[in-house]
Amino acid sequence: MSSWQNWSGTESATGIETLRPGSADELAAAVKSAAEQGKKLKAVGAGHSFTGCSVPQEVMIRLDRLSSITHADQQSGRVTVGAGTGLRKLNLGLAAFDLALANLGDIDKQTVSGAISTGTHGTGARLGGLATQVVGLDLITADGSVLHCSAEENPDVFAAARISVGALGVISSLTLQCVPVFLLRAQEMPMPLADVLDGFDELADGNDHFEFYWFPHTELALTKRNNRVGADVEAAPVGRIRGWVEDELLSNKVFELTNRLAVRQPGMVPRINRIASRALSAREYVDASYKVFCTERNVVFRESEYAVPREHVVEVIRRLRDWIDTSGSRIPFPIEVRVAAPDDIWLSTAHGRETAYVAIHQYHRLPHDPYFQAFERIVADYDGRPHWGKLHTLGASELRARYPRFDDFVAVRDRLDPQRVFENAYTRQVFG
């Protein structure tokens, strides 16, 4: 028996039977055996979800032995990978084939199946999240069957399983639609928050990838514009020393110290944030896409993220700022804002609408409940949809009202897992 805990320390389990199948056949046999014994089973990835979506109750499946590229077609750009493949390993493997994912989130520590199943996304007004890049997957269902799913084969399961929170079965492999390898020009610069909000649509639509970070208690935001470059442009990465100073020393080590100071002296947070925001410096570099998208984040925190219709995001930020200013709360972590194109995946936070994401964070040693609850009250006025892997309190009744295909998903779940082999407390919360 073993124990498990997620990265942030918000969820844990003890007394768990752990299995590490080395093939899809072994995985199918393990799932079937657990189901026949009436045991609850969960596949566990890297543990980077803050919610209890992957908490095992009795049997935990580790997929780290299914972690390689099994097929790559450079001409079509389609690549098949084992479900336990880490995103960092996947990005390096794709580069060896002169391929890349068109869009990524901002960390690469998750497994590909875990990131996809929880709706992980990056930013880009004309691009969707990771799940929109999936063109096929193999799903092991509770009876040990293997369902091959795509837009043509088992299309209803495909629409449900690309973002399923692990509630339909265990994904054994995924086929991804990749693009030829490309470079991005990254332009990072501080701007007054008022200018960012006033020009938000122009910034979002005028760049391939745009996001900004706002430090509460200040009037400054850090903007990030990432754009593809022409074939004649060569890589010009951040220098090794400057990269270490800005991305490791300042963004991780010093940031950890300032957050510890915030725990001891909360009243200093506004001053700390003002100093931090003024210390932001502009920089520009060109590098491989995955190196620009993904950054190292080691400071432990709590996070809640909601997707809102893009036309309302500026109002959401202004209301959130007003709450922070009047509540007396002290928030040392920045607020992150990104965008995404609509998609047709049933449980995607961007299903059917132009979307903006607002992610709020709090250092793990500071209280977060009042802040997160106020955020939930604000986004509820705009039919906000919570990220499946980040902290929220919504249940099935609220989520049903916010997802037009919610009942279609539940019907697929009832058909594939009538005995609820893949159930845990979190899936009971969100699906009933």
Side-chain angles (χ1 to χ4, degrees), residues 52-88:
C53 58
S54 60
V55 175
Q57 292 187 196
E58 293 173 288
V59 179
M60 174 171 62
I61 295 280
R62 292 279 190 185
L63 297 173
D64 53 301
R65 295 176 67 191
L66 302 177
S67 60
S68 62
I69 294 175
T70 57
H71 179 76
D73 185 333
Q74 286 177 288
Q75 186 171 359
S76 69
R78 294 197 169 185
V79 175
T80 301
V81 300
T85 308
L87 285 176
R88 181 171 298 180

Side-chain angles (χ1 to χ4, degrees), residues 157-185:
V157 179
F158 184 61
R162 278 180 287 172
I163 299 178
S164 68
V165 203
L168 303 181
V170 180
I171 295 172
S172 61
S173 71
L174 298 129
T175 299
L176 305 167
Q177 180 61 61
C178 301
V179 299
V181 66
F182 62 100
L183 299 177
L184 286 173
R185 183 185 305 279

